[in-house]
């Protein structure tokens, strides 16, 4: 190959040799090319669902592009996400000069008319439920984008339900004949992943707790926009050993404000144990793992309803102006129970979970998604027909949704309330020290702090200091720590995850271990504290009660 051709390859194709002139550079001699047009992180997550049906076929090369000339307001993070995926990316200039066998896009707002390819346009939410901000154009159905020069640009416009044909016909009559009903790939991926819920809960570190998931779309009327301190309030009102709180923010929130700023705004909640799901992946699995979902008028609320989750909407009465009237999302906004900021949050969550009926929102979901569990087959048939390739044998299927990856902080300090119940158990309720408020009726309230994570003030106020090692040096460390923090009544060190060793200010030393089940071993020190405060006697076997859960504990004096 001449040096000029090599230079052209390097500059034009960015090391993705698509043109047949460069076949000798390929290891796999593919027959067809598919272009994925990415506008935002949101659209990319939807496109990845669809591309999963084709990308392992040795006859197909999939490449990605995004157009920096008319970048979306929420375009931040696209290049980084593509890089993380290791996706082959070509510049828009090359994409617009290349013939592709199929192009797939999840937004009509890119210059799709510049592409030389049959285009499949899919929605990037659950159907078409929203207007673009400040107007009455349905998102995904902008007639000025769907039609150029009298020509309808997409060859196929995917709908999640046949009722959306009327919406498309009203928005852009010439495009209505291009409509194809596919169902919803995200919905189907979640359905085929439901059996993995225990795995997702394990990845989140939920354990035996109830998982409360906050889902916020973007914009000033979103849950995060109207109630940004809701995560903190939940963490301050829900006992940490009975509830876990996770938050899912629309990728548009991250793109508009930046990762650092979002995490900084949420820092008090993060330090109190909030599981914050990153925008690229994991949100579907987190919804599947939820015991209750708090949401707004974003697609996540419909997905939660479709997965039959107890649901509370943190919105004003009735749907917002940006929600398409008569849409399933509008009907859900009318029907679903509200989260009242002026009432006890824990009681509202308990009520939502207790009164939830299976299939409660089934009629609404059925009007949002058709071809349930059949979307992969419909999309594969459409795609391979347009690629003029024989479809591989077997039934097409979507892979399970991605496992959530979150960094959940270990809470550095707790406010603990505890008492001995009438049946002799010790019941405890812990709250993050920076947010929590123990009920005034709780007995034996005390403060605990981890020596390696807590602030100076938290350690100065702690009745129990956790940390150190349980080996031969524990006694010396305990005496030193008790001298250093004169208000501490005892110190503890963990025995793995199964127990702890304690040293009190009065010189008593003991080992406490869970006999069955498990929980944070730091709880055992609070159990001993409550017992000693109550009657100065410790049994050899005890019961730790966390909400409705009882754990047997063995206590051994040393």
């Amino acid at each position: 190959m001449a040096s000029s051709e090599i230079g052209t390859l390097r500059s034009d194709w960015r090391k993705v040799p698509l043109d047949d002139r460069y076949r000798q550079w390929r290891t796999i001699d593919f027959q067809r090319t598919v272009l994925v047009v990415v506008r935002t992180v949101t659209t990319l997550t939807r496109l990845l669902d669809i591309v999963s049906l084709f990308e392992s076929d040795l006859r197909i090369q999939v490449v990605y592009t995004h157009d920096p000339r008319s970048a979306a307001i929420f375009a931040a993070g696209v290049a980084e996400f593509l890089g993380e995926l290791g996706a082959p990316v070509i510049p828009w200039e090359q994409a617009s000069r290349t013939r592709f066998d199929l192009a797939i896009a999840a937004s009509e707002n890119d210059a799709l008319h510049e592409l030389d390819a049959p285009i499949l346009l899919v929605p990037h939410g659950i159907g078409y439920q929203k207007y673009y901000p400040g107007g009455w154009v349905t998102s995904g159905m902008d007639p000025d984008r769907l039609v150029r020069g009298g020509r309808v640009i997409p060859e196929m416009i995917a709908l999640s339900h046949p009722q959306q044909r009327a919406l498309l016909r009203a928005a852009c009559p010439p495009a209505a004949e291009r409509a194809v009903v596919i169902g919803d790939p995200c919905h189907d991926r979640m359905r085929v992943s439901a059996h993995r819920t225990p795995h997702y809960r394990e990845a989140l570190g939920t354990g035996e707790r109830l998982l409360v998931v906050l889902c916020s779309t973007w914009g000033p009327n979103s849950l995060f926009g109207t109630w940004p301190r809701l995560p903190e309030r939940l963490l301050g009102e829900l006992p940490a050993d009975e509830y876990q709180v996770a938050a899912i923010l629309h990728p548009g929130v991250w793109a508009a404000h930046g990762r650092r700023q979002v995490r900084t705004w949420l820092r008090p909640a993060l330090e109190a144990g909030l599981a914050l799901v990153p925008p690229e992946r994991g949100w579907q699995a987190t919804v599947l793992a939820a015991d209750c979902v708090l949401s707004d008028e974003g697609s996540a609320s419909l997905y939660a309803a479709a997965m039959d989750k107890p649901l509370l909407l943190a919105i004003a009465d009735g749907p917002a102006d940006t929600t398409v009237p008569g849409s399933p999302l509008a009907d859900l906004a009318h029907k679903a129970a509200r989260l009242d900021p002026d009432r006890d949050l824990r009681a509202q969550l308990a009520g939502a979970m207790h009164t939830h009926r299976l299939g409660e929102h089934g009629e609404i979901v059925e009007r949002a998604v058709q071809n349930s569990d059949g979307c992969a087959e419909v999309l594969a048939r459409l795609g391979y027909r347009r690629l003029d390739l024989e479809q591989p044998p077997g039934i097409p299927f979507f892979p399970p949704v991605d496992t959530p990856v979150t960094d959940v902080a270990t809470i550095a300090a707790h406010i603990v309330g505890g008492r001995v119940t009438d049946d002799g158990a010790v019941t405890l309720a812990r709250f993050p020290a920076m947010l929590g408020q123990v009920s005034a009726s709780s007995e034996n309230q005390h403060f605990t702090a981890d020596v390696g994570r807590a602030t100076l003030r938290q350690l100065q106020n702690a009745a129990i200091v956790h940390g150190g090692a349980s080996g031969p040096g524990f006694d010396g460390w305990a005496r030193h720590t008790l001298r250093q923090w004169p208000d501490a009544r005892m110190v503890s060190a963990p025995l793995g995850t199964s127990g702890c060793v304690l040293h009190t200010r009065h010189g008593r030393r003991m080992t406490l271990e869970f006999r069955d089940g498990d929980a944070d071993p730091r709880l055992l020190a609070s159990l001993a504290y409550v017992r000693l405060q109550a009657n100065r006697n410790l049994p050899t076997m005890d019961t730790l009660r966390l909400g409705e859960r009882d754990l047997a504990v063995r206590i051994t004096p040393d």
Side-chain angles (χ1 to χ4, degrees):
M1 179 178 291
S3 60
S4 60
E5 292 183 10
I6 295 175
T8 301
L9 171 64
R10 288 173 176 167
S11 62
D12 286 0
W13 301 105
R14 301 292 174 92
K15 302 180 183 177
V16 184
L18 299 175
D19 193 284
D20 281 345
R21 289 178 296 166
Y22 308 120
R23 291 182 66 176
Q24 64 267 39
W25 291 84
R26 304 174 186 167
T27 299
I28 301 298
D29 192 20
F30 50 84
Q31 303 169 32
R32 302 288 189 272
T33 54
V34 173
L35 177 69
V36 179
V37 184
V38 182
R39 186 160 181 82
T40 62
V41 169
T42 306
T43 62
L44 180 51
T45 58
R46 174 52 53 95
L47 293 166
L48 290 173
D49 290 342
I50 298 170
V51 170
S52 68
L53 300 171
F54 309 103
E55 61 185 348
S56 63
D57 193 320
L58 292 170
R59 299 168 295 174
I60 300 172
Q61 170 72 58
V62 179
V63 296
Y64 298 74
T65 192
H66 57 98
D67 186 359
R69 303 169 310 167
S70 59
I73 294 174
F74 294 154
V78 167
E80 293 81 359
F81 191 11
L82 286 167
E84 179 189 341
L85 292 170
V89 180
I90 63 172
W92 183 266
E93 314 87 76
Q94 296 302 317
S96 62
R97 297 205 309 263
T98 304
R99 171 66 187 173
F100 291 91
D101 299 292
L102 178 66
I104 308 173
S107 171
E108 81 277 35
N109 289 314
D110 280 309
L112 301 179
H113 62 285
E114 296 181 3
L115 300 176
D116 183 8
I119 296 170
L120 169 62
L121 179 65
V122 301
H124 56 265
I126 187 165
Y128 301 88
Q129 315 275 349
K130 291 281 192 175
Y131 293 125
Y132 283 115
W136 304 108
V137 176
T138 302
S139 177
M141 296 184 175
D142 186 346
D144 293 335
R145 297 287 187 170
L146 294 177
V147 178
R148 287 296 184 101
R151 178 174 70 94
V152 179
I153 303 304
E155 182 173 294
M156 297 172 282
I157 301 174
L159 311 178
S160 66
H161 194 279
Q163 289 185 0
Q164 293 160 16
R165 289 183 189 274
L167 196 63
L168 179 59
R169 188 175 295 111
C172 185
E177 63 183 29
R178 305 290 180 90
V180 291
V181 179
I182 66 167
D184 185 89
C186 179
H187 169 268
D188 281 15
R189 280 193 75 188
M190 292 177 75
R191 283 177 59 88
V192 301
S193 307
H195 67 285
R196 294 167 60 91
T197 294
H199 167 69
Y200 298 144
R201 290 175 66 89
E202 181 182 1
L204 289 164
T206 306
E208 299 292 329
R209 294 176 293 174
L210 296 170
L211 176 60
V212 178
V213 176
L214 284 71
C215 298
S216 177
T217 188
W218 58 274
N221 296 318
S222 67
L223 185 153
F224 189 49
T226 59
W227 202 345
R229 297 304 180 195
L230 179 58
E232 294 174 35
R233 184 172 164 190
L234 285 167
L235 290 160
E237 294 186 19
L238 302 177
D241 300 295
E242 300 173 46
Y243 292 85
Q244 182 185 28
V245 179
I248 298 166
L249 304 182
H250 189 282
V253 179
W254 299 86
H257 299 289
R259 289 176 183 258
R260 178 178 175 83
Q261 184 63 78
V262 169
R263 294 187 64 86
T264 301
W265 281 334
L266 288 170
R267 182 180 296 161
L270 291 169
E271 292 176 350
L274 177 70
L276 181 60
V277 180
E280 297 86 2
R281 60 178 61 86
W283 74 263
Q284 300 100 324
T286 305
V287 170
L288 286 171
D291 292 289
C292 190
V293 174
L294 311 182
S295 189
D296 50 27
E297 288 181 66
S299 289
S301 60
L302 265 177
Y303 286 119
M307 297 304 114
D308 225 347
K309 298 295 178 179
L311 177 66
L312 287 171
L313 295 187
I315 61 174
D317 291 338
D321 292 340
T322 53
T323 301
V324 175
S327 65
L329 186 59
D331 290 347
L332 186 66
H334 277 299
K335 180 183 177 183
R338 298 287 190 275
L339 185 69
D340 187 344
D342 297 323
R343 292 173 49 213
D344 180 86
L345 297 181
R346 184 177 181 183
Q348 293 182 74
L349 290 169
M353 290 183 281
H354 179 72
T355 60
H356 176 71
R357 296 177 290 103
L358 293 177
E360 185 171 344
H361 302 298
E363 185 273 333
I364 293 175
V365 174
E366 287 176 2
R367 291 194 298 104
V369 180
Q370 197 180 67
N371 295 330
S372 183
D373 299 328
C375 181
E377 294 182 59
V378 174
L379 276 171
R381 184 169 63 249
L382 288 172
Y384 276 102
R385 182 186 302 161
R386 196 61 192 79
L387 291 168
D388 195 23
L389 289 175
E390 183 178 349
Q391 190 170 322
I395 300 175
F397 62 92
F398 291 118
V401 298
D402 294 318
T403 300
V405 179
T406 61
D407 296 323
V408 182
T410 300
I411 301 172
H414 287 95
I415 299 172
V416 187
R419 62 184 179 87
V420 180
T421 62
D422 292 340
D423 61 358
V426 174
T427 182
L428 296 176
R430 295 193 302 174
F431 300 85
M434 64 289 295
L435 300 175
Q437 294 182 348
V438 178
S439 170
S441 62
S442 296
E443 304 170 15
N444 300 306
Q445 294 185 29
H446 56 282
F447 202 91
T448 72
D450 187 289
V451 72
R453 298 183 178 90
T455 65
L456 176 63
R457 178 166 302 201
Q458 288 169 342
L459 285 164
Q460 288 172 334
N461 292 312
I464 303 173
V465 175
H466 301 293
S470 56
F474 171 73
D475 288 338
W477 174 84
R479 288 191 292 269
H480 170 76
T481 302
L482 288 167
R483 285 195 301 269
Q484 187 176 12
W485 309 110
D487 288 337
R489 310 313 303 159
M490 63 177 65
V491 294
S492 79
L495 294 169
T497 60
S498 62
C500 72
V501 57
L502 300 180
H503 197 298
T504 73
R505 183 164 293 280
H506 300 291
R508 299 180 66 174
R509 193 178 189 276
M510 65 200 75
T511 299
L512 294 88
E513 298 175 280
F514 292 114
R515 291 296 306 275
D516 53 12
D518 57 52
D520 186 344
R522 295 178 297 177
L523 284 160
L524 296 171
S526 288
L527 177 146
Y529 180 90
V530 170
R531 280 288 183 198
L532 292 172
Q533 288 291 104
N535 55 27
R536 300 291 177 179
N537 293 320
L538 286 170
T540 57
M541 290 297 301
D542 210 339
T543 300
L544 171 61
R545 181 164 297 157
L546 303 172
E548 301 297 321
R549 185 177 173 220
D550 283 359
L551 293 154
V553 177
R554 179 172 59 196
I555 302 174
T556 307
D558 292 340

